[in-house]
Amino acid sequence: DAGITQSPRHKVTETGTPVTLRCHQTENHRYMYWYRQDPGHGLRLIHYSYGVKDTDKGEVSDGYSVSRSKTEDFLLTLESATSSQTSVYFCAISESQGQGALDEQFFGPGTRLTVL
Amino acid sequence: QKEVEQDPGPLSVPEGAIVSLNCTYSNSAFQYFMWYRQYSRKGPELLMYTYSSGNKEDGRFTAQVDKSSKYISLFIRDSQPSDSATYLCAMNLAGANSKLTFGKGITLSVRP
C-alpha cells in the first residue's frame, strides 16, 4: 500500500461544529486530493494541492477549505458542518511521471463522517 | 449530461460468469481510461488503464476502449467471489496533474 493515512477514520459530529480531517503521506508525492464519495454520485473532487501552500478548488468545494503547510500533510476543514456533508472522504496522492505518462492516483483508506 | 456515465447496477452473477462493465463519456479529449476497484470500506485501487483505442489484457481482466463511440468496457472472465467489489471507471486528459473524472461506480457481487 502507498503510504497514506487518514485521521480520524470515523467521526460523528453535530451540525454547526467545525471539523478537520487529516491526510498524511510518506511518499513525498507532489499532488494531493480530497474527494467525497456518496451513493449515486461516485467520487467527487473537493479540493486539490499541487505543492506546499498551493491549492485549488474542485467540483464540490463549497463549505470546505484546505491547507497544506508541509509536503506530507493535507488538511480538509468543514468550517460549520451540515448534514449534507455526511459522507466518506478519501485522500489521494499522485506524482507527475512526465509528458504522456499516466499519473496514477493512490487513495487512502477513507474517513467516514456523520453530521447529526 | 455528466461527462462520464456508468451503468448503475448493482450486478450479481454466479461464479465463473463473464462480466461486462461499461462506461460512456462525452469529452473527446480524454486520453487515459482507467478502471479502479474498491473493496468494501477501502479506498479505490487502480486495476487497469489504457491510453488508446483497442484492448488490453491482464489475466482474467480485459479493458476495451472505443474512442469513436466514446465507450469503454471492462470484461472479467471466470469471475470469482474475490472479484466482488465496486468498479469505477475514470478518465482524464494527458498532461501533468490532469484531474480524474469518475463514473458513479457499479457494485458487483459474484455468488459462489
Side-chain angles (χ1 to χ4, degrees):
Chain A
D1 289 347
I4 311 169
T5 55
Q6 292 185 232
S7 58
R9 295 292 314 280
H10 299 88
K11 186 170 182 67
V12 179
T13 191
E14 293 191 351
T15 298
T17 60
V19 176
T20 295
L21 309 183
R22 180 183 184 233
C23 177
H24 178 79
Q25 60 145 329
T26 58
E27 305 295 324
N28 201 35
H29 281 8
R30 177 181 174 187
Y31 302 100
M32 298 186 75
Y33 312 81
W34 277 108
Y35 292 89
R36 60 179 288 174
Q37 187 174 37
D38 305 287
H41 291 278
L43 277 164
R44 293 181 291 175
L45 182 65
I46 304 171
H47 281 280
Y48 65 99
S49 170
Y50 45 96
V52 173
K53 298 193 191 316
D54 292 323
T55 65
D56 206 346
K57 295 178 179 180
E59 178 187 357
V60 289
S61 59
D62 287 349
Y64 301 95
S65 62
V66 290
S67 66
R68 190 170 178 199
S69 59
K70 298 184 288 185
T71 298
E72 57 266 35
D73 289 325
F74 192 32
L75 304 181
L76 176 72
T77 297
L78 290 64
E79 303 289 349
S80 177
T82 68
S83 58
S84 65
Q85 293 176 312
T86 293
S87 186
V88 181
Y89 291 85
F90 287 100
C91 173
I93 64 174
S94 72
E95 185 58 74
S96 177
Q97 301 301 318
Q99 189 67 26
L102 176 71
D103 297 339
E104 181 179 351
Q105 288 191 20
F106 300 92
F107 285 80
T111 293
R112 196 167 289 268
L113 176 67
T114 302
V115 183
L116 301 176
Chain B
Q1 180 193 10
K2 290 189 69 74
E3 276 194 302
V4 179
E5 302 275 5
Q6 184 169 3
D7 292 347
L11 184 62
S12 180
V13 301
E15 184 174 353
I18 296 174
V19 176
S20 171
L21 308 175
N22 308 296
C23 289
T24 58
Y25 62 96
S26 57
N27 188 345
S28 58
F30 284 139
Q31 294 197 22
Y32 283 102
F33 304 91
M34 289 150 269
W35 287 95
Y36 279 80
R37 180 173 60 192
Q38 183 178 20
Y39 290 115
S40 181
R41 297 184 176 267
K42 302 286 188 184
E45 292 180 302
L46 184 65
L47 179 62
M48 293 185 71
Y49 77 92
T50 55
Y51 180 68
S52 59
S53 284
N55 293 355
K56 182 177 181 179
E57 256 188 57
D58 185 0
R60 296 183 295 107
F61 298 87
T62 299
Q64 185 177 80
V65 175
D66 182 346
K67 285 190 173 180
S68 62
S69 301
K70 298 192 186 70
Y71 190 90
I72 72 170
S73 298
L74 178 71
F75 298 98
I76 307 173
R77 290 185 300 280
D78 187 24
S79 56
Q80 302 294 309
S82 58
D83 296 328
S84 297
T86 296
Y87 291 81
L88 303 105
C89 62
M91 44 201 81
N92 66 357
L93 311 173
N97 190 38
S98 176
K99 294 179 286 298
L100 292 177
T101 301
F102 284 89
K104 292 181 181 179
I106 184 170
T107 298
L108 170 68
S109 175
V110 181
R111 307 185 303 271

